[in-house]
Amino acid sequence: MIPLNSLGQTQTRKAEHLRICLDEDVQFSQTTNGLERYRFIHCCLPEINRDEISLKTQFLGKQLSYPLLISSMTGGTEFAGTINRRLAEVAQHYNIAMGVGSQRVALEKPQVAPTFAVRSLAPDILLLANLGAVQLNYKYGLDECRRVVDLLQADALILHLNPLQECIQPRGDTNFRGLLDKVEKLCSKISVPVVAKEVGNGISAAMAKKLMNAGISAVDVAGAGGTSWAKVESERAENSLQRRLGMTFADWGLPTAECITSIRAVAPEIPLIASGGLRHGLDIAKAIALGADLAGLALPFLQAAAESEAALYELVEVLIAEMTTVLFCTGTADLEEFKRSEVLQRVKEG
């Protein structure tokens, strides 16, 4: 890994984020993703052949073999480039979707652009570019958004929304005034679909409606219950105030399950990605049953990619086996039937 003192400010932040997520306990400790409140109705006589179960789906016009997204994580350093290349190869092999981390660093330092440029390794996948929405208030506009899409040869652009992280992050960008209008103008002019994504604190139904009205093509709820970016930034704090803020807001946010159900109640048709604390195929299946179209995982993929290519392939095989087992044991043969069937029930509390 490149020594931190040889990197620029944004690159240093990228390297520190990777190290902290891999080495420190920065998971939500009290708030959960909410999926534990649901269970599947077991079918003891499925009347289907497990070997014939299909997990194929479609998202933003792309056919996928599985409802899986390797969530946006990284880029900008040598180690991050290795991670992205490994992720892209496994995404191509299994025909699943992939997003990259914020490409702001590639605009600031074009020499690191190759750490993001994975299309040659994954020519067929749904590939998502990524920029922070708040950068539209910091001299970024349509041209910069087009550049990151072109750099990646991406099928869509993620605009990530991270107000809490920016509040805690050293020298964070916290001017969010008038941003929705700028998002709307961008959506009307850019040639690819735009996805709105939180980074781990969730998107409410009311905000999802505003984003849809602004022209957003898909929503990634990125709810609470997984990695707490307040904790991550607390680990990077340069003073006691930042550290205190990070720990105070460590469990802030809307649980992933609540985001899915509330958004689906007001927007039945919006393409919806569930992420935030999903750790295995059972979580993925619950998220899909609640109304998501894709399930995004970050930390499990990061940990496996940091270990080896073999660990990545093993992870995806396990996720597929777990998802397939859920469909088999609920007596559903494919994702469409699974989503139509009322096989998920809320667990009674108390």
Side-chain angles (χ1 to χ4, degrees):
M1 199 179 298
I2 299 172
L4 296 186
N5 59 11
S6 70
L7 303 178
Q9 180 179 309
T10 307
Q11 277 185 293
T12 298
R13 184 168 68 248
K14 295 284 188 182
E16 289 176 342
H17 284 165
L18 277 180
R19 180 193 63 76
I20 290 166
C21 288
L22 286 168
D23 296 342
E24 307 295 337
D25 179 10
V26 288
Q27 301 302 292
F28 279 77
S29 56
Q30 298 177 19
T31 304
T32 69
N33 61 24
L35 294 171
E36 76 283 353
R37 299 174 190 139
Y38 297 86
R39 69 181 172 204
F40 286 104
I41 300 170
H42 177 63
C43 177
C44 65
L45 188 59
E47 292 281 3
I48 55 176
N49 182 346
R50 188 182 188 277
D51 294 339
E52 296 174 357
I53 289 174
S54 172
L55 295 172
K56 292 180 181 178
T57 192
Q58 187 180 82
F59 196 81
L60 297 181
K62 279 271 194 174
Q63 295 290 334
L64 304 174
S65 297
Y66 306 96
L68 268 178
L69 166 67
I70 299 173
S71 284
S72 304
M73 282 180 275
T74 194
T77 68
E78 182 179 346
F79 180 54
T82 298
I83 296 292
N84 278 339
R85 288 189 290 273
R86 288 177 177 177
L87 293 172
E89 288 174 353
V90 79
Q92 175 69 20
H93 181 84
Y94 290 98
N95 187 29
I96 59 178
M98 176 182 170
V100 298
S102 173
Q103 292 168 263
R104 175 184 169 189
V105 64
L107 295 177
E108 294 176 352
K109 299 189 71 170
Q111 62 267 36
V112 306
T115 67
F116 293 94
V118 297
R119 180 55 94 182
S120 62
L121 300 172
D124 304 312
I125 69 168
L126 175 63
L127 188 58
L128 309 177
N130 184 3
L131 270 182
V134 74
Q135 297 310 314
L136 298 176
N137 274 349
Y138 289 85
K139 300 183 179 180
Y140 280 36
L142 178 61
D143 287 345
E144 286 77 14
C145 292
R146 283 174 172 164
R147 283 168 59 193
V148 298
V149 169
D150 292 344
L151 164 64
L152 210 63
Q153 299 175 52
D155 301 292
L157 171 66
I158 289 172
L159 288 181
H160 69 260
L161 307 164
N162 62 336
L164 178 61
Q165 183 185 11
E166 296 289 358
C167 281
I168 300 165
Q169 182 173 278
R171 294 168 295 280
D173 296 325
T174 53
N175 178 17
F176 277 65
R177 183 182 295 278
L179 209 49
L180 194 62
D181 286 343
K182 292 183 178 179
V183 169
E184 184 172 8
K185 289 176 184 176
L186 174 66
C187 289
S188 70
K189 293 179 180 179
I190 199 163
S191 61
V192 296
V194 178
V195 181
K197 168 186 166 57
E198 237 286 348
V199 301
N201 303 111
I203 295 178
S204 68
M207 187 53 65
K209 286 188 70 175
K210 289 182 180 181
L211 290 164
M212 289 169 57
N213 291 337
I216 288 291
S217 297
V219 170
D220 183 343
V221 304
T227 299
S228 168
W229 284 92
K231 279 189 174 181
V232 172
E233 296 300 348
S234 182
E235 290 285 339
R236 298 182 58 242
E238 296 178 353
N239 55 56
S240 59
L241 172 59
Q242 290 169 351
R243 192 169 298 108
R244 173 70 179 265
L245 273 176
M247 297 315 297
T248 299
F249 291 91
D251 279 271
W252 176 275
L254 302 169
T256 301
E258 290 182 22
C259 293
I260 300 168
T261 55
S262 64
I263 291 173
R264 268 294 170 248
V266 300
E269 303 301 325
I270 185 77
L272 190 60
I273 301 169
S275 67
L278 276 60
R279 296 293 179 255
H280 45 65
L282 184 56
D283 281 343
I284 293 168
K286 287 181 179 180
I288 299 294
L290 284 175
D293 299 299
L294 285 189
L297 287 76
L299 184 63
F301 278 110
L302 175 60
Q303 291 171 329
E307 181 180 338
S308 67
E309 293 178 15
L312 261 180
Y313 283 88
E314 181 180 348
L315 170 63
V316 179
E317 288 290 339
V318 169
L319 294 175
I320 292 169
E322 290 169 341
M323 288 186 287
T324 303
T325 300
V326 171
L327 268 67
F328 184 61
C329 290
T330 55
T332 48
D334 57 51
L335 277 186
E336 286 306 311
E337 181 183 356
F338 178 69
K339 291 169 77 170
R340 290 194 308 268
S341 302
E342 296 182 358
V343 294
L344 191 68
Q345 63 182 12
R346 180 89 184 217
V347 178
K348 294 181 180 179
E349 298 176 9

